[in-house]
Amino acid sequence: MSANKILLELKQLCFEHKVPIMRDKTLQVLTKLAKNKKILEIGSGFGYSSLSIWTNGQPKTITTLEKDKRSFEICRTYLKDTNITIHNTSAFDWIPTKQDKYDLLILDGPKSNQKALFQKYLPFLNSDGYIFIDNTNLFSEIHQLTLRQKKLKQKVNDFIEFLKHLNPEKFQISFFNIEDGYCIIKLIK
Ligand SMILES: C[S@@+](CC[C@H](N)C(=O)[O-])C[C@H]1O[C@@H](n2cnc3c(N)ncnc32)[C@H](O)[C@@H]1O
């Protein structure tokens, strides 16, 4: 089966299992950004975003972290013909080796405490690296939020406020109101 057919099949599987995946335009931008980069992704899901980047984006390497055992197993099946490294672990627990320096960090895992993940993984980024954050407009397409969704959205909004107050001499931050919203941060050397 061709790589793009596998991607379509995987996308369908994610819809059937209600696993949220990156939207098409968002993924297109990320795929371009990924070229020649050593990538660390937090939140593999079933592997749709990492397989898309691998197939269409010419990254140097991809390492992706997934906490949920079942998602990890499905991810592993779909990524078996790639050199993508998958770890079945929580991003809060995983410890990169000291030599591991990434060019691009993708935050697409838990939305409840992204600030902690941002702070944890920042030292593992190269000095001219990037951070890509998905769902900055979380639940933008839902009209009646449940209490739980409201609380989670508030946490995302607090994280965005934190990002907006980062030192502009060290971080160049751009927000995009496309699809569910995303943010690209470039570290300034
Ligand atoms: C939005 S989905 C990822 C979708 C995937 N990036 C894609 O576009 O195909 C978020 C994933 O993060 C995982 N996750 C949640 N908490 C996590 C944690 N602490 N560490 C690693 N993964 C986590 C969830 O199990 C879920 O599969």
Side-chain angles (χ1 to χ4, degrees), residues 118-178:
F118 178 96
Q119 289 172 326
K120 173 176 176 177
Y121 288 101
L122 189 58
F124 297 98
L125 268 181
N126 282 318
S127 56
D128 57 351
Y130 288 83
I131 303 167
F132 188 98
I133 301 157
D134 196 21
N135 311 113
T136 47
N137 297 340
L138 189 71
F139 303 137
S140 55
E141 288 148 10
I142 300 179
H143 296 300
Q144 277 301 127
L145 297 186
T146 62
L147 187 60
R148 197 177 156 271
Q149 287 171 326
K150 277 185 189 162
K151 283 184 179 167
L152 199 54
K153 190 166 176 61
Q154 187 54 52
K155 287 181 178 172
V156 171
N157 288 344
D158 292 345
F159 177 52
I160 289 167
E161 275 310 300
F162 161 78
L163 295 178
K164 285 181 179 167
H165 289 91
L166 288 171
N167 183 350
E169 288 176 10
K170 292 190 176 163
F171 301 92
Q172 184 191 314
I173 308 179
S174 312
F175 289 95
F176 297 86
N177 285 320
I178 294 169

Side-chain angles (χ1 to χ4, degrees), residues 20-22 41 43-45 48-49 66-67 89-92 108-110:
I21 55 170
M22 274 187 204
E41 178 188 56
S44 327
Y48 179 72
S49 50
E66 175 54 52
K67 182 181 169 183
T89 179
S90 168
F92 293 106
D108 193 25

